[in-house]
Every structure is written in structure tokens, then in C-alpha cells.
């Protein structure tokens, strides 16, 4: 009996110790640790309270800066002899865009010849008057009149020559259309051999400096009171799907367009790289801050799986936890968390999918 009791007591103790060890084990353990190599490429972020932001998304378009856009009109009618540029071409100030042969220019040429001839006539008349005055054949008043006639003739010649300079008129009844500024041809309404009427009211070219462009957002009536000057804006276009352009709302046009039932808001964008094309469609996201804060983490650290959102909470190399969280809102690079995470906890923001799959095994 004593021998049996001796064998029984150690067995009970062993069972008790075994049960105690099971109770001390953590409820969640990854069963692996992050290697040194993996640590070099793994990034982390700390959950912290951030001012709550919201976003408004609008459709709109890219527009040339109207303050740097020049509409070019023909000052004479006639036949278009040559057009030297195409839509989308970059031109420099003074560059020849087109030439027009015009009967109106022929009239200017006659005026120039007449003005030059009149100057020559009055110069000769003054010379004769001065000689006759020296011979006491006429009075000083006659000399002064001859000088005045020469001055009038020179003024008329200067006026005609100035017209030539302004209108870029050339011999042969040719009118030259030149670029008024450096920029791109964004509109072209002229072709070779086209006949232009002298009373034409439409422009033949639009030249725009596109170093800066405008993003024009169509703001719905229900959102008008939410959009304010200075708000941050992010613009994307179909031609640059991998790029985001940043700016701020710098003007709100307090007029409703009856065709779109929307109000326009303008964002000025740097376009030095010429990536934004006037009249292209744009998606414009305007963000603003609310008067409260909420726990937030980088959006790259949030994993969506099976209709739930998860993060990988990092304790140390040996202790990772896959944890479900409630997402309140995602704004740009930040995701606001309403529950499931505490301030100060660290999450993994790169390689998190690898750890997520490993913890699922």
C-alpha cells in the first residue's frame, strides 16, 4: 500500500504541474519570430490620435490659366496662304503662325507709299522756301508753314509705319499672324486656302502658357457650404492614373451653372512638366478637418479580408497578433479606427500580408 501511494503522489504532482503550465501559456502566439533579414524590410507605425478629416469628391476638368491665355484674331480679311503650326504645338513669342494675303493690306501699302511721297514733297517744298526766304522772295511765315507741312507728313508716315509694325504687314499684301506669348496652341480655327471675311468675329488661334493650369471642380449644390478657400485638394486624371497633383482651393465662383446645376471651385496647379492637358477630365478630391480627433494608422497597415478589416499588432519579434478592427473612415493615407486598437500600439505597415498569412496557418 505504501509503495502504491509513493507512485501515486508523483503522478498527481506531474498532472498538477502540467495543468499549471497550460494556464500560463499566452492565448495568442505566432509560433515564429521575425528574422533579422525580414526586420530590415519591415516597417512599423504607432496608432495615435489625429484630427479627423473628411473628403468631398467632385468631377471637373483641367483648364488653361485664363490670365495667361491669348486669343488671336485676324485684323484683316483675305485668303490664308500658309499655316505653320498645328494644335498642341509649342510656340515662342513672335513666332510666325500663319500668313494671309489681303486686299486690305494692299490698301495699307498704298497709304505707306503716299505717306512716303508726301514726306518727300514737303521736304523739297521746305528747301525751296528756305532758299526763297534767303533771297527775300517770301516771308518767314511761309517758311514756318512749310516746316509745319513737313511735320504733318512725317506724323502721317509714322502712323502708317506703326500700323505695319502692329499688324505685321509685309510687302506683297501679306499679313503675318504671330504668337503673342510663349505657350501651346490649344485652339486652331484656320486652315490653308481658307477665305477669312473682314467682319469675322471668331478667333483663329488660342495660345496658352500652361506652366500653371486650373482644375475646375463642379461642386454640387448640396456641398456648396462645405467647400471653403484654402482647403487641400488632390487631382487625378485618366492620362496620369499613377500620379496625384496637389493644390488648394483658391477661388469659389458663387454662381450656379444652369446646365450642370453646379458651382465651380478653382485649384491652381503647377504644370511645369506639362503633364496636365487643358480640357482633359479630372477627379478632384477636396479634404477638410472636423472639430474632433480619432485614433488613426497609415492605410497601408490595414488588411481587408472576408468583409473584415485587420491589422498586425507588433509586440516584439516573437509576439505578433492578427487583430480585427473597426474602420470609421479612410482619408488619403490615413485610416481612422473606431475600435479594436489602443493608442500607442504598434502595427506593421510593410510585409504585413506575409505575417497575416503566417498567423493564419
Amino acid at each position: 500500500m505504501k509503495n502504491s501511494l509513493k507512485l501515486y503522489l508523483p503522478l498527481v504532482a506531474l498532472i498538477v504541474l502540467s495543468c499549471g503550465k497550460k494556464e500560463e501559456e499566452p492565448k495568442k502566439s505566432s509560433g515564429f519570430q521575425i528574422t533579422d533579414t525580414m526586420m530590415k524590410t519591415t516597417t512599423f507605425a504607432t496608432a495615435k490620435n489625429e484630427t479627423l478629416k473628411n473628403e468631398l469628391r467632385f468631377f471637373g476638368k483641367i483648364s488653361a490659366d485664363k490670365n495667361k491665355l491669348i486669343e488671336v484674331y485676324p485684323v484683316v480679311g483675305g485668303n490664308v496662304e500658309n499655316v505653320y503650326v498645328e494644335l498642341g504645338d509649342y510656340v515662342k513669342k513672335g513666332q510666325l503662325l500663319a500668313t494671309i494675303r489681303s486686299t486690305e493690306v494692299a490698301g495699307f501699302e498704298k497709304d505707306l507709299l503716299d505717306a512716303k511721297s508726301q514726306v518727300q514733297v514737303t521736304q523739297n517744298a521746305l528747301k525751296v522756301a528756305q532758299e526763297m526766304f534767303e533771297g527775300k522772295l517770301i516771308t518767314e511765315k511761309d517758311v514756318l508753314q512749310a516746316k509745319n507741312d513737313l511735320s504733318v507728313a512725317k506724323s502721317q508716315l509714322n502712323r502708317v509705319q506703326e500700323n505695319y509694325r502692329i499688324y505685321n504687314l509685309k510687302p506683297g499684301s501679306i499679313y503675318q499672324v504671330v504668337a503673342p506669348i510663349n505657350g501651346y496652341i490649344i485652339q486652331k480655327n484656320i486652315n490653308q486656302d481658307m477665305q477669312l471675311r473682314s467682319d469675322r468675329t471668331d478667333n483663329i488661334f488660342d495660345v496658352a502658357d500652361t506652366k500653371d493650369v486650373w482644375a475646375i471642380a463642379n461642386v454640387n449644390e448640396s456641398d456648396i457650404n462645405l467647400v471653403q478657400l484654402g482647403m487641400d485638394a488632390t487631382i487625378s486624371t485618366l492620362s496620369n492614373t499613377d500620379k496625384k497633383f496637389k493644390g488648394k482651393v483658391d477661388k469659389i465662383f458663387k454662381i450656379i451653372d444652369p446646365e450642370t446645376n453646379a458651382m465651380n471651385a478653382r485649384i491652381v496647379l503647377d504644370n511645369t512638366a506639362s503633364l496636365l492637358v487643358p480640357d482633359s477630365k479630372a477627379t478632384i478630391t477636396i479634404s477638410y478637418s472636423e472639430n474632433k480627433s480619432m485614433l488613426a494608422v497609415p492605410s497601408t497597415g490595414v488588411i481587408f479580408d472576408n468583409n473584415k478589416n485587420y491589422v498586425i499588432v507588433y509586440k516584439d519579434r516573437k509576439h505578433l497578433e492578427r487583430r480585427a478592427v473597426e474602420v470609421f473612415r479612410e482619408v488619403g493615407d490615413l485610416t481612422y479606427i473606431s475600435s479594436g486598437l489602443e493608442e500607442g500600439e504598434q502595427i506593421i505597415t510593410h510585409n504585413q500580408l506575409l505575417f497575416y498569412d503566417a498567423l493564419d496557418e
Side-chain angles (χ1 to χ4, degrees):
M1 181 65 179
K2 288 181 179 180
N3 290 335
S4 298
L5 184 60
K6 287 179 181 179
L7 291 171
Y8 179 76
L9 289 173
L11 182 60
V12 173
L14 182 60
I15 293 172
V16 171
L17 288 172
S18 298
C19 293
K21 286 181 180 178
K22 288 182 180 179
E23 290 178 357
E24 291 174 0
E25 289 179 0
K27 293 181 179 179
K28 293 185 179 179
S29 176
S30 63
F32 68 92
Q33 70 176 27
I34 305 177
T35 64
D36 291 339
T37 301
M38 187 65 76
M39 279 296 290
K40 291 179 181 179
T41 60
T42 301
T43 58
F44 309 88
T46 302
K48 54 185 178 180
N49 279 310
E50 300 278 359
T51 300
L52 186 61
K53 291 187 176 181
N54 206 343
E55 287 184 339
L56 299 169
R57 181 166 294 182
F58 305 108
F59 294 105
K61 69 175 184 177
I62 302 300
S63 172
D65 185 339
K66 301 300 183 184
N67 298 320
K68 299 178 181 178
L69 183 150
I70 305 295
E71 296 179 340
V72 180
Y73 293 84
V75 296
V76 297
N79 184 67
V80 179
E81 288 216 325
N82 290 291
V83 179
Y84 301 99
V85 294
E86 295 296 336
L87 196 65
D89 285 354
Y90 180 81
V91 296
K92 293 185 176 181
K93 182 177 181 179
Q95 181 176 331
L96 183 62
L97 305 181
T99 54
I100 301 170
R101 184 178 296 278
S102 172
T103 55
E104 294 177 59
V105 177
F108 280 111
E109 287 183 336
K110 182 179 182 303
D111 292 341
L112 179 62
L113 291 174
D114 290 345
K116 287 181 177 180
S117 176
Q118 187 62 24
V119 168
Q120 186 65 44
V121 168
T122 53
Q123 282 178 335
N124 292 335
L126 175 60
K127 183 178 180 181
V128 170
Q130 288 173 335
E131 291 176 351
M132 293 180 68
F133 175 73
E134 290 175 359
K136 299 184 184 299
L137 298 174
I138 59 174
T139 64
E140 184 178 2
K141 180 180 179 181
D142 296 323
V143 175
L144 292 174
Q145 182 61 48
K147 287 182 178 180
N148 183 66
D149 292 342
L150 176 60
S151 178
V152 171
K154 286 183 176 180
S155 295
Q156 179 65 13
L157 177 60
N158 288 337
R159 185 183 67 79
V160 175
Q161 289 175 331
E162 185 66 11
N163 286 337
Y164 260 71
R165 186 187 66 80
I166 293 173
Y167 295 158
N168 293 298
L169 305 180
K170 298 297 178 182
S173 303
I174 296 297
Y175 164 59
Q176 290 187 331
V177 183
V178 299
I181 58 172
N182 296 341
Y184 287 91
I185 303 293
I186 65 169
Q187 185 171 332
K188 172 178 171 283
N189 299 314
I190 183 174
N191 292 304
Q192 187 172 345
D193 297 326
M194 178 184 287
Q195 189 68 35
L196 299 178
R197 292 177 47 167
S198 58
D199 59 350
R200 178 188 175 98
T201 58
D202 297 333
N203 58 315
I204 55 177
F205 292 107
D206 280 354
V207 183
D209 180 350
T210 58
K211 290 180 181 177
D212 292 323
V213 294
W214 295 349
I216 304 296
N218 296 321
V219 181
N220 305 321
E221 286 190 58
S222 57
D223 296 323
I224 286 176
N225 293 329
L226 297 176
V227 178
Q228 298 178 10
L229 293 175
M231 284 184 170
D232 293 328
T234 303
I235 291 86
S236 61
T237 62
L238 291 175
S239 57
N240 296 280
T241 54
D242 59 334
K243 293 184 179 294
K244 303 293 184 184
F245 302 90
K246 304 287 186 179
K248 292 182 180 294
V249 177
D250 83 322
K251 186 172 181 60
I252 298 172
F253 300 87
K254 296 290 186 178
I255 298 175
I256 300 295
D257 186 336
E259 294 184 2
T260 62
N261 292 323
M263 181 186 73
N264 290 335
R266 182 182 72 190
I267 300 96
V268 178
L269 300 172
D270 176 39
N271 192 37
T272 306
S274 299
L275 296 176
L276 295 168
V277 180
D279 290 325
S280 60
K281 305 299 182 185
T283 300
I284 302 163
T285 303
I286 295 175
S287 58
Y288 61 95
S289 299
E290 298 183 3
N291 294 324
K292 59 181 177 179
S293 61
M294 183 175 284
L295 201 65
V297 296
S299 297
T300 54
V302 180
I303 302 166
F304 183 75
D305 186 33
N306 292 325
N307 294 319
K308 290 185 178 180
N309 292 287
Y310 297 88
V311 295
I312 304 300
V313 179
Y314 174 83
K315 303 294 185 182
D316 56 47
R317 289 193 182 196
K318 295 183 179 180
H319 295 88
L320 306 178
E321 180 184 348
R322 185 179 68 176
R323 189 183 298 175
V325 294
E326 291 293 332
V327 170
F328 177 75
R329 180 185 297 159
E330 182 179 350
V331 180
D333 298 332
L334 278 182
T335 295
Y336 295 92
I337 306 296
S338 56
S339 66
L341 200 60
E342 299 294 330
E343 185 177 7
E345 287 190 299
Q346 277 196 313
I347 69 166
I348 295 177
T349 56
H350 183 65
N351 291 334
Q352 70 276 19
L353 289 175
L354 298 176
F355 300 132
Y356 181 85
D357 292 337
L359 292 170
D360 195 32
E361 293 176 354

